[in-house]
Amino acid sequence: MASDLTSQVLDVLAQSDGPVLSADVFPSIPSTTLKSALDRLRSREMVSYRAIDREEAILTAEAEGIAANGSHEAKVFEAVRQSVEGLKIVDLPKIVGKESAEVGMGKAFKAGWIKKDKDTLRVNTDSITDTSQAQLRLIQNQRSHPDPKVISELRKRKLVTMQKVISFEFTKGPKFATEFVKEETDLTADMLASGAWKNTKLKPYNFKAKGALTSCGALHPLNKVRHEFRQIFFEMGFEEMPTNRFVETGFWNFDALFVPQQHPARDLQDTFYISDPPSADKPRPDPDDSQHSSSKLLSRELKKNESPLNYEQYWNSVREVHETGKFGSIGYRYPWNPDESLRLVLRTHTTAISTAMLHKLAVNPHPARYFSIDRVFRNESVDATHLAEFHQVEGVIADFGLALGGLIGFMEVFFAKMGIHKLRFKPAYNPYTEPSMEIFGFHEGLDKWVEIGNSGMFRPEMLEPMGLPKDMRVYGWGLSLERPTMIKYGVKNIRELLGHKVDLNFIESNPAVRLEKE
């Protein structure tokens, strides 16, 4: 124990007038145990010490055998010498062993100790010096060799390994004493009452010592970046939509967005379908006590000239705009299947929520700004940049007389608040927006343009079946939450950010984030 060792250290120093090497007096004591005792004494200035690092050569098991019994080549020479008529090569492994025969014969030839006469080995000298055995015996005793080249050669032959050894040189300190007096850590009532505190040695407080880390919760990096996005939306006058409905019908997820039922996005390889229950009811109002209700955003009493939403009429209008065309559109002209529309899916985008909110806005059409940040699901192959679930950041702006130029201008303001000031827009296709644009931002770190989102203006075939006026336009745009988070925190594999492979130390130690700051 360290307490017993402190007394031994003090006894050794009491009998010495100079520095003491631990390798000489405590050769078998582990360095960690000895350091603990020395630290304890140094804290009271009773000793001072310095650590000495050195490397020692340690023999392997094979080398131990050579040091004891001779090298492989020496064994071969001795076997050949004892055979007066010479030694058949095929008989050598039987005498010295297979390993010694394979290794030693070549080295004995190289040293000129033996020679070959057809299939027979004969000695080529009267006596030899087993240099390898001598070198290994020296290393065995001294743990080193005066010639570094010898050590290097033996390491190549895997006969020697190097081991780091820590020893200490310690001397008497300013307050050296032969007895280690225990210091009291607390001043008790009994000490004060008896007066014993006057003669008691109290341990001084270390006010520079670091306190123990307090375990506490930590926000996930996605939550930190999500918080920044929410602040940006709130600054710009947006209201947050309720998005805690992960399961949607095909109607809200696809049909109401003017996505045809034959679209590839509705295939099994792209969308997760729910098997039980197999289908849902037709669109209907949410119950007043439903946690999914958006009535808080649009809560008010209907005016005299207003009527509640007609979900049956909305259902029929969506069917007609797909099947035969309506509101000036020729539609897709295919037999629309109601059963397909009522299938349940894990939502593939939060635009399903935006659609439901815009439908409720039709009761009293007025300028509105909504946003959502929540989880969506895609049946995709998992790799370094894709998961079967991720978070979508989405915003919609509804107003009268909106135009494409206004969307571009708004995107520049929105992304500038994220610290992205160089944007490019590329025409794209979406079933429910026209015109549609992919948004590219210049990444200073990568020194290239990267896609950061999609945007567009919702089509009349999506808006007019809801009952919104013809002159009301709606901007819509979206991006993932994971991509900016990975860029900000330098994460290269999305599976290290979300899922069972996340390092909890990374979660606890990651810093706060400001999107507009580098």
Side-chain angles (χ1 to χ4, degrees), residues 37-102:
L38 292 172
D39 284 338
R40 190 177 183 190
L41 292 169
R42 187 170 65 175
S43 67
R44 300 196 188 181
E45 300 182 26
M46 297 178 72
V47 303
S48 60
Y49 76 89
R50 67 182 183 90
I52 302 172
D53 295 347
R54 72 179 190 280
E55 280 192 331
E56 289 186 349
I58 306 298
L59 301 189
T60 63
E62 181 184 357
E64 293 278 359
I66 292 174
N69 305 313
S71 64
H72 300 301
E73 55 268 32
K75 290 179 181 178
V76 170
F77 174 80
E78 187 61 27
V80 174
R81 188 181 66 82
Q82 291 181 6
S83 300
V84 179
E85 300 298 328
L87 181 63
K88 295 289 186 182
I89 295 177
V90 295
D91 295 332
L92 182 62
K94 300 175 185 177
I95 300 174
V96 300
K98 184 178 179 180
E99 182 182 3
S100 292
E102 290 177 351

Side-chain angles (χ1 to χ4, degrees), residues 321-333:
V321 81
H322 277 257
E323 202 165 44
T324 60
K326 197 175 183 181
F327 308 109
S329 170
I330 62 174
Y332 289 118
R333 292 170 288 178

Side-chain angles (χ1 to χ4, degrees), residues 397-517:
I397 297 177
D399 208 339
F400 298 95
L402 297 179
L404 182 64
L407 174 59
I408 293 175
F410 181 84
M411 290 294 97
E412 290 175 343
V413 174
F414 177 77
F415 283 101
K417 289 182 175 292
M418 296 167 51
I420 302 174
H421 300 281
K422 297 179 182 179
L423 295 181
R424 284 180 179 173
F425 300 90
K426 176 184 175 182
Y429 168 75
N430 279 313
Y432 45 90
T433 58
E434 182 61 39
S436 306
M437 298 181 298
E438 292 177 346
I439 309 169
F440 291 81
F442 187 77
H443 193 291
E444 300 288 348
L446 300 177
D447 194 30
K448 68 177 183 178
W449 293 89
V450 296
E451 183 180 354
I452 56 176
N454 272 285
S455 65
M457 300 182 68
F458 288 137
R459 296 177 65 110
E461 293 95 332
M462 173 184 166
L463 300 178
E464 293 191 33
M466 300 175 181
L468 292 172
K470 286 183 176 291
D471 59 344
M472 174 164 271
R473 304 284 184 266
V474 180
Y475 296 150
W477 71 95
L479 62 151
S480 77
L481 182 64
E482 281 76 5
R483 176 166 290 183
T485 305
M486 291 173 69
I487 292 174
K488 280 293 180 182
Y489 286 99
V491 178
K492 295 182 179 180
N493 192 328
I494 193 172
R495 288 168 289 194
E496 297 174 1
L497 183 67
L498 189 65
H500 65 284
K501 293 186 177 180
V502 174
D503 182 1
L504 293 181
N505 290 326
F506 166 68
I507 301 298
E508 293 172 355
S509 61
N510 65 74
V513 64
R514 292 290 299 276
L515 290 177
E516 77 277 13
K517 302 293 184 183

Side-chain angles (χ1 to χ4, degrees), residues 215-316:
S215 63
C216 59
L219 287 176
H220 192 282
L222 284 172
N223 281 338
K224 293 183 178 182
V225 177
R226 180 180 182 273
H227 174 75
E228 283 296 302
F229 271 113
R230 292 182 79 241
Q231 296 309 306
I232 291 173
F233 278 116
F234 288 140
E235 282 178 17
M236 303 183 78
F238 283 75
E239 297 176 272
E240 189 167 15
M241 296 182 282
T243 58
N244 50 350
R245 182 158 50 196
F246 290 168
V247 178
E248 290 284 1
T249 63
F251 178 83
W252 289 112
N253 200 77
F254 297 117
D255 294 285
L257 276 69
F258 198 53
V259 178
Q261 293 183 343
Q262 300 85 2
H263 196 278
R266 302 178 76 152
D267 292 343
L268 286 172
Q269 63 264 30
D270 293 316
T271 302
F272 291 108
Y273 284 89
I274 306 299
S275 59
D276 186 19
S279 62
D281 297 335
K282 285 185 177 182
R284 56 178 171 77
D286 290 324
D288 292 337
D289 60 347
S290 170
Q291 60 177 328
H292 308 299
S293 175
S294 56
S295 58
K296 291 183 179 180
L297 286 181
L298 303 170
S299 59
R300 62 178 188 80
E301 294 188 7
L302 295 174
K303 296 180 180 178
K304 291 182 179 180
N305 60 341
E306 295 175 350
S307 57
L309 292 169
N310 188 331
Y311 283 86
E312 185 65 28
Q313 181 181 342
Y314 183 36
W315 168 271
N316 292 329

Side-chain angles (χ1 to χ4, degrees), residues 29 264 357:
I29 302 295
M357 290 297 300

Side-chain angles (χ1 to χ4, degrees), residues 172-184:
K172 297 176 183 178
K175 298 182 180 180
F176 176 78
T178 56
E179 185 180 357
F180 187 84
V181 180
K182 182 182 177 182
E183 294 178 330
E184 297 293 339

